[in-house]
Amino acid sequence: MLADIKGLNEECGVFGIWGHQDAAQLTYYGLHSLQHRGQEGAGIVVTDGEKLKMHKGHGLVTEVFSRGELEGMTGHAAIGHVRYSTAGGNEYANVQPLLFRSQTSSLAVAHNGNLVNANALKHQLEAQGSIFQTTSDTEVLAHLIKRSGYMDLKDQVRNALTMLKGAYAFVIMTEEKLMVALDPNGLRPLSIGMLGDAYVVASETCAFDVVGAEYLRDVKPGELLIIDDNGMTADRFSSPTNRSICSMEYIYFSRPDSNIDQVNVHSARKNLGKELYREAPVEADVVTGVPDSSISAAIGYAEASGIPYEIGLIKNRYVGRTFIQPSQELRELGVKMKLSPVRGIVEGKRVVMVDDSIVRGTTSRRIVKMLRAAGATEVHVRITAPPIAHPCYYGIDTSERAELIASNHSVEEIRDIIGADSLAFLSPEGLLRGIGRPDGDPNNGQCLACFTGKYPTEIYPDTVLPYEKEMV
């Protein structure tokens, strides 16, 4: 669905490379392939082995690097970051990577995720004299590294990581090495690839395809990888625990051509559509999906049902990031600017509208209304995820519980609110079957917290939601 309208956004994406003479340029292309994970800011830090050089800014990757900045960014290694900014957080200081300089060396850090104990750590560090320049969790790690007391960087980083709770995929770079770490539950995706003799790391494997790298493996939960001119070594900072990768990566966030923990996203979404039909069949004339993330699921629903799939909704790809919605009237217009029904397809038809999720319900109601205005005689809404009734503390910008429509209303009440003829959500069991991950871990190694309220980590009393964090 339309992430910037519906209030469901991924925090960011990370990319890194070591051992290639065009490191900054390749990072640019890698970030471009991850642009769907964040559109409000982007940055790259590059090293030639003697110093770290950074350029970052607000906007899309093509906007941040539009004036030849890459020409001066020479070096054999780089890390990059694309960022989604929540309310009140669109500050330059929060754009990553963050670069820290000391008398002995420099350190660049990029992070995807959210630390549930960030507040507690910040209070502790400030009591010890630390002064924070950003509202980002990423800065917490830098302070912990510097205050660890160990002499060796690997020991400093490993010790710092043991203090963190929550979801995190870190790429850390100095003049001498690139370090990669994934939280013990593996909540965020992170993979390693090879481009010739160069090592590449990315939030999604689609970045490997773009830069011409070959997938090597996924970073393991609790693993710390150290990459330098001698190659890559693997270490651990945490004992293995139950994998809990975010289910929304498969449902909504990741690109269809990515493989998340060796499961292809397009195939998973298509299977979710098939499972949805098995659980919630309906008589209709046409199946359509809400672009872009629901297209694969709509195709699966159509194949399972035998109802023809058609492009009944068109996404306008030229609206851009700059559209603001200061009033209800303009918000209504905003949906029409970004999404339009195809009257020739839906007019006089019973339409199955497949979507990935319902957060507040406002966008679903507007789309149902548009389909009816275009002549649809019936609109049956099918959602390829269970109802989102609980907030996410791990880096996804969901609302607080009071604003989640499924937290306060039954399915029948939601159906009435959005104006659909029928409404059905996929069950948690159908979700697990559709994605088809191995069943060795609880919930097949997936996090279902936003559906069930059962969080894989401790949630601290002062844990701040992602959308609230940058308003502090």
Side-chain angles (χ1 to χ4, degrees):
M1 195 187 268
L2 308 176
D4 49 342
I5 292 178
K6 70 185 283 192
L8 186 64
N9 293 280
E10 175 64 62
E11 285 294 296
C12 55
V14 297
F15 184 91
I17 184 168
W18 187 278
H20 199 288
Q21 61 180 1
D22 298 320
Q25 289 77 9
L26 289 169
T27 300
Y28 170 87
Y29 289 114
L31 293 181
H32 193 274
S33 71
L34 300 173
Q35 188 74 85
H36 58 286
R37 300 185 73 89
Q39 299 87 44
E40 293 297 329
I44 294 174
V45 174
V46 64
T47 183
D48 57 4
E50 296 182 359
K51 62 182 182 299
L52 301 186
K53 184 174 183 178
M54 178 179 70
H55 179 74
K56 65 179 184 178
H58 296 302
L60 302 173
V61 176
T62 53
E63 296 169 337
V64 175
F65 297 93
S66 62
R67 301 174 182 269
E69 292 87 357
L70 288 172
E71 295 177 6
M73 301 187 74
T74 57
H76 66 281
I79 64 172
H81 188 272
V82 289
R83 178 176 184 274
Y84 166 73
S85 170
T86 51
N90 197 16
E91 300 175 4
Y92 177 81
N94 286 329
V95 179
Q96 298 186 33
L98 300 185
L99 179 57
F100 306 91
R101 302 189 188 276
S102 68
Q103 292 181 338
T104 55
S105 64
S106 299
L107 181 77
V109 186
H111 168 216
N112 175 24
N114 194 57
L115 305 180
V116 297
N117 66 334
N119 260 9
L121 289 172
K122 284 183 178 180
H123 288 312
Q124 175 185 331
L125 289 165
E126 286 178 347
Q128 296 171 355
S130 292
I131 298 175
F132 287 88
Q133 303 297 317
T134 75
T135 58
S136 170
D137 291 352
T138 310
E139 192 175 0
V140 172
L141 178 64
H143 284 270
L144 291 174
I145 290 173
K146 201 63 180 175
R147 288 180 170 272
S148 69
Y150 291 92
M151 297 300 295
D152 182 72
L153 178 63
K154 182 179 77 171
D155 294 331
Q156 292 174 351
V157 172
R158 184 167 52 191
N159 180 70
L161 291 169
T162 63
M163 302 182 190
L164 306 181
K165 306 294 182 183
Y168 52 87
F170 280 110
V171 287
I172 306 162
M173 189 176 70
T174 69
E175 293 88 348
E176 299 176 345
K177 61 189 66 178
L178 174 66
M179 308 181 80
V180 181
L182 185 64
D183 69 81
N185 293 99
L187 282 153
R188 301 262 70 87
L190 196 62
S191 299
I192 292 285
M194 296 291 296
L195 180 57
D197 295 328
Y199 288 90
V200 184
V201 58
S203 292
E204 292 185 36
T205 60
C206 64
F208 297 159
D209 298 330
V210 169
V211 302
E214 182 178 349
Y215 168 82
L216 185 61
R217 68 177 179 88
D218 292 306
V219 181
K220 300 173 184 177
E223 188 173 37
L224 174 63
L225 301 178
I226 301 96
I227 303 169
D228 56 23
D229 292 341
N230 296 318
M232 181 176 73
T233 58
D235 199 354
R236 298 201 64 86
F237 63 90
S238 172
S239 300
T241 186
N242 293 328
R243 186 72 195 258
S244 300
I245 192 164
C246 175
S247 293
M248 293 305 294
E249 292 287 352
Y250 298 102
I251 298 167
Y252 174 69
F253 291 122
S254 297
R255 265 179 42 164
D257 52 337
S258 287
N259 295 330
I260 302 299
D261 204 23
Q262 302 185 56
V263 175
N264 177 255
V265 174
H266 166 72
S267 297
R269 289 176 184 166
K270 197 172 175 183
N271 289 335
L272 292 178
K274 293 178 180 179
E275 288 290 337
L276 187 56
Y277 174 73
R278 295 186 186 105
E279 292 187 0
V282 66
E283 291 187 6
D285 303 307
V286 63
V287 176
T288 192
V290 179
D292 288 313
S293 56
S294 304
I295 299 300
S296 300
I299 293 172
Y301 192 98
E303 287 185 2
S305 65
I307 303 170
Y309 166 78
E310 292 284 359
I311 300 177
L313 293 163
I314 297 294
K315 183 178 180 180
N316 182 353
R317 303 184 185 279
Y318 302 98
V319 174
R321 300 174 303 103
T322 56
F323 180 73
I324 57 175
Q325 303 162 31
S327 68
Q328 180 69 20
E329 292 77 14
L330 287 180
R331 279 192 291 270
E332 296 283 352
L333 180 59
V335 178
K336 294 180 181 178
M337 288 177 64
K338 289 178 177 282
L339 203 64
S340 301
V342 182
R343 181 177 292 274
I345 296 297
V346 304
E347 190 171 24
K349 303 287 181 61
R350 298 170 297 173
V351 178
V352 178
M353 184 190 97
V354 177
D355 205 356
D356 50 70
S357 56
I358 297 179
V359 182
R360 298 180 181 91
T362 52
T363 301
S364 297
R365 177 174 53 80
R366 292 166 191 155
I367 296 174
V368 170
K369 183 178 179 181
M370 283 195 300
L371 288 170
R372 292 197 188 281
T377 58
E378 297 177 9
V379 180
H380 301 276
V381 177
R382 295 293 181 268
I383 305 298
T384 60
I388 297 177
H390 305 272
C392 175
Y393 294 96
Y394 301 123
I396 296 174
D397 178 31
T398 55
S399 304
E400 60 184 7
R401 186 167 181 171
E403 293 184 357
L404 297 171
I405 192 170
S407 181
N408 304 286
H409 298 280
S410 67
V411 173
E412 176 58 24
E413 288 171 338
I414 298 172
R415 182 206 64 76
D416 184 60
I417 291 169
I418 68 175
D421 291 280
S422 71
L423 168 66
F425 293 86
L426 188 62
S427 68
E429 296 76 18
L431 176 69
L432 298 179
R433 286 194 302 268
I435 293 175
R437 287 173 47 81
D439 59 4
D441 291 326
N443 296 326
N444 293 6
Q446 292 172 222
C447 178
L448 304 177
C450 58
F451 312 126
T452 66
K454 297 179 181 178
Y455 296 94
T457 73
E458 179 182 359
I459 302 299
Y460 289 68
D462 62 348
T463 297
V464 179
L465 285 167
Y467 85 102
E468 296 173 321
K469 182 162 295 182
E470 295 169 348
M471 298 174 68
V472 178

